[in-house]
């Protein structure tokens, strides 16, 4: 974890991409403490906030694709075995968490790939059930990119806002404090997204039925 800490203290486009790649696999890297501080520094003129979001999202896509491909080809037994192993526990992973992400995917279908990117505890694992279900990769990548892009935009907006009101030494404490507000925003966005897809699917079936 000292390696991760050193990367967090030296945020640039390369480290942002790499850390978000790790976060989207199974390595416990909190994106709140990557994208938000990066956007904070962008507000100070050290980085470009749009490039922060772009590289964070590319990293998330790469990490999610790794999970997807592994799950697609190795299957559920191997995934569970890793989750229950010593290495899995080092990554704060267990079978229950994987099963929780699978249930979310089963309950919400392919849209879960988009909305799941916004939910803590599900975000970095939702690509596993997508791979297990052999979801179309390009649809998976599209939904992952949209979901990750929205999430990183929220974190970047928070970092930009905090730059105007918080000295850097208090930044991490403020990020933790604002975490509850972020959760409320996320819940609203997820409900809107699910509602949209449910209505869209219903209207599509209705049109097909009457045609």
């Amino acid at each position: 974890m000292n390696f991760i800490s050193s990367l967090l203290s030296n945020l640039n486009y390369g480290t942002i991409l790499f850390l978000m790649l790790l976060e989207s696999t199974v390595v416990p890297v909190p994106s709140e403490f990557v994208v938000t501080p990066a956007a904070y520094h962008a507000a100070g003129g050290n980085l470009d906030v749009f490039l922060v979001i772009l590289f964070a999202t590319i990293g998330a896509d790469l990490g999610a694709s790794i999970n997807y491909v592994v799950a697609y080809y190795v299957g559920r037994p191997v995934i569970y075995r890793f989750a229950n192993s010593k290495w899995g526990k080092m990554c704060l992973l267990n079978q229950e968490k994987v099963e929780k992400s699978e249930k979310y995917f089963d309950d919400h279908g392919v849209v879960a790939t988009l909305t799941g990117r916004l939910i803590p505890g599900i975000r970095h694992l939702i690509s596993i059930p997508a791979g297990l279900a052999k979801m179309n990769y390009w649809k998976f990548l599209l939904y992952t990119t949209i979901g990750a892009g929205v999430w990183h935009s929220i974190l970047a907006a928070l970092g930009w806002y905090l730059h105007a009101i918080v000295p850097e030494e208090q930044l991490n404490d403020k990020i933790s404090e604002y975490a509850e507000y972020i959760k409320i925003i996320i819940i609203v966005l997820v409900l809107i997204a699910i509602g949209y897809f449910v209505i869209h699917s219903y209207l599509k079936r209705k049109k097909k039925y009457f045609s």
Side-chain angles (χ1 to χ4, degrees), residues 34-74:
V34 178
V35 180
T36 308
Y40 182 95
H41 294 308
N46 297 321
L47 295 167
D48 183 292
V49 70
F50 296 107
L51 290 179
V52 167
I53 296 169
L54 175 63
F55 279 93
T57 302
I58 292 172
D61 283 345
L62 292 173
S65 293
I66 292 171
N67 276 5
Y68 172 92
V69 170
V70 170
Y72 190 102
Y73 287 106
V74 306

Side-chain angles (χ1 to χ4, degrees), residues 169-188:
E169 60 270 17
Q170 297 177 17
L171 179 60
N172 286 345
D173 290 336
K174 278 295 180 182
I175 293 172
S176 299
E177 182 182 323
Y178 275 82
E180 291 303 315
Y181 297 105
I182 293 175
K183 286 179 183 178
I184 294 172
I185 294 171
I186 294 307
I187 290 170
V188 171

Side-chain angles (χ1 to χ4, degrees), residues 31-40 49-50 52-54 56-57 114-115 117-120 123 145-162 175 178-193:
S31 52
E32 298 91 328
F33 294 98
V34 178
V35 180
T36 308
Y40 182 95
V49 70
F50 296 107
V52 167
I53 296 169
L54 175 63
T57 302
L114 190 159
T115 58
R117 294 297 311 183
L118 303 172
I119 302 175
R123 181 168 60 249
T145 301
I146 294 171
V150 170
W151 172 241
H152 295 147
S153 296
I154 292 171
L155 296 181
L158 175 62
W160 192 274
Y161 166 72
L162 290 177
I175 293 172
Y178 275 82
E180 291 303 315
Y181 297 105
I182 293 175
K183 286 179 183 178
I184 294 172
I185 294 171
I186 294 307
I187 290 170
V188 171
L189 288 173
V190 168
L191 289 175
I192 290 172

